[in-house]
Amino acid sequence: FLADEAFDFAREYYLSLEKELGARFVQQMPLFKIFNNQEQQDDWLQKANSPEYEQYLSKEIKHFSEEAIKNDFGTAEVLNTFLLNTQAFLNATKLFLVENASYRNETFHSDEVVLEPDAVHYRGIHAKKIIFCTGYKAASDKYFNWLPFNLCKGERLNIEFESFQLEKAISNNVVLIPEDNNYILGSTYSWDELNEEPTAEAREELSLKFQKISNSKFQISNHLAAIRPTTIDRRPFLGLHPELKQLAIFNGMGTKSVMFCPFLAKKMCALLLNGIDLPSEVNIQRHLKHFSA
Ligand SMILES: Cc1cc2nc3c(=O)[nH]c(=O)nc-3n(C[C@H](O)[C@H](O)[C@H](O)COP(=O)(O)OP(=O)(O)OC[C@H]3O[C@@H](n4cnc5c(N)ncnc54)[C@H](O)[C@@H]3O)c2cc1C
């Protein structure tokens, strides 16, 4: 759904933003899928030969020279990938906003929003509209809690190896991505206990999954947990509040915010500035039956 358009747009957007902000956050990063058995390899090749997937999936089966990686059934490359260093991206974006006097480091309180028919006021800011981009917190916000979120906790590790080096990302139930001087190993998916606390269970799960890819010894240098703003139909939530047109939401990016945000932000601007309808797949109007005034 919207993947081709969103993907191409995202890469161009991040690259042009790097130039505009004078910062680096996009990196070429080949990604290889490791197969566990012949059936997986066959399925991949069948997909790779279909017009829908041929620009994303390589038809070439490779075996890694790195002995540390178990790849008896081979690997194949996911094509046209790139890595966004989200922390560097957010740092550069924040700096830009601060320099342009457009950033406040404070907790936002919905209760303090003052609405007028065509305006919204909040702590000295006067605007036509306000856009709620509060991630999973929107699920408990008074204006948008009616939307059917299906929040999903995720955890990831940063790991270091003594004698193992990899310059590509690999995936097989988990993804291992080189970043700076260590590696990201992720992620878990849990719909219970929705909090931002790292758990021993997730650490164990990720470690065991890594051992299926490699016997290399590693040390955990960091462990992060967060809540993804996933939605019941796995599609983003964009649009205007059904009754309070001064309030808008940009949310529900789930597991794919890096890919979807630039493309959908453009669609959101088109709605807010020119009244152009959003793609129906992402418009919150599809969930109006959940809303009661
Ligand atoms: C382990 C893990 C791995 C992931 N991997 C990927 C990946 O590889 N690729 C990908 O695209 N996505 C990935 N995601 C998903 C991605 O992180 C989310 O889709 C994305 O963060 C959603 O962005 P958002 O801005 O909507 O929400 P958030 O990132 O949650 O940002 C919302 C922000 O609003 C702030 N906020 C909320 N309420 C208030 C308030 N009242 N006052 C002030 N500030 C407030 C929060 O502090 C936060 O900074 C992953 C998520 C997890 C947990």
Side-chain angles (χ1 to χ4, degrees), residues 22-93:
R24 296 301 307 269
F25 34 77
V26 182
Q27 200 186 327
Q28 290 308 314
M29 178 59 65
L31 167 64
F32 285 84
K33 162 79 184 151
I34 299 177
F35 303 116
N36 288 322
N37 51 48
Q38 191 58 42
E39 198 185 341
Q40 281 185 358
Q41 195 198 102
D42 293 345
D43 286 350
W44 174 283
L45 287 174
Q46 196 179 3
K47 270 190 176 173
N49 280 298
S50 71
E52 203 184 336
Y53 287 99
E54 65 181 356
Q55 63 164 318
Y56 297 115
L57 306 183
S58 167
K59 294 168 192 153
E60 192 184 348
I61 302 299
K62 288 187 175 170
H63 287 268
F64 289 148
S65 53
E66 291 92 346
E67 283 179 12
I69 303 173
K70 301 175 190 172
N71 61 130
D72 293 351
F73 291 92
T75 74
E77 187 172 359
V78 181
L79 302 172
N80 295 317
T81 51
F82 69 92
L83 179 67
L84 181 77
N85 183 325
T86 46
Q87 197 53 59
F89 163 71
L90 290 173
N91 290 345
T93 308

Side-chain angles (χ1 to χ4, degrees), residues 86 90 104 106-110 133-138 141 152-156 177 186-189 224-229 250-261:
T86 46
L90 290 173
R104 281 191 189 176
E106 61 185 45
T107 300
F108 171 82
H109 296 280
S110 283
C133 308
T134 49
Y136 80 91
K137 295 266 173 75
D141 181 88
C152 176
K153 179 173 178 177
E155 300 186 47
R156 68 167 227 202
I177 307 169
S187 323
T188 59
Y189 296 83
L224 297 171
I227 300 177
R228 301 176 182 92
F250 188 91
N251 207 313
M253 297 299 145
T255 57
K256 297 196 175 61
S257 54
V258 170
M259 180 170 89
F260 276 128
C261 278

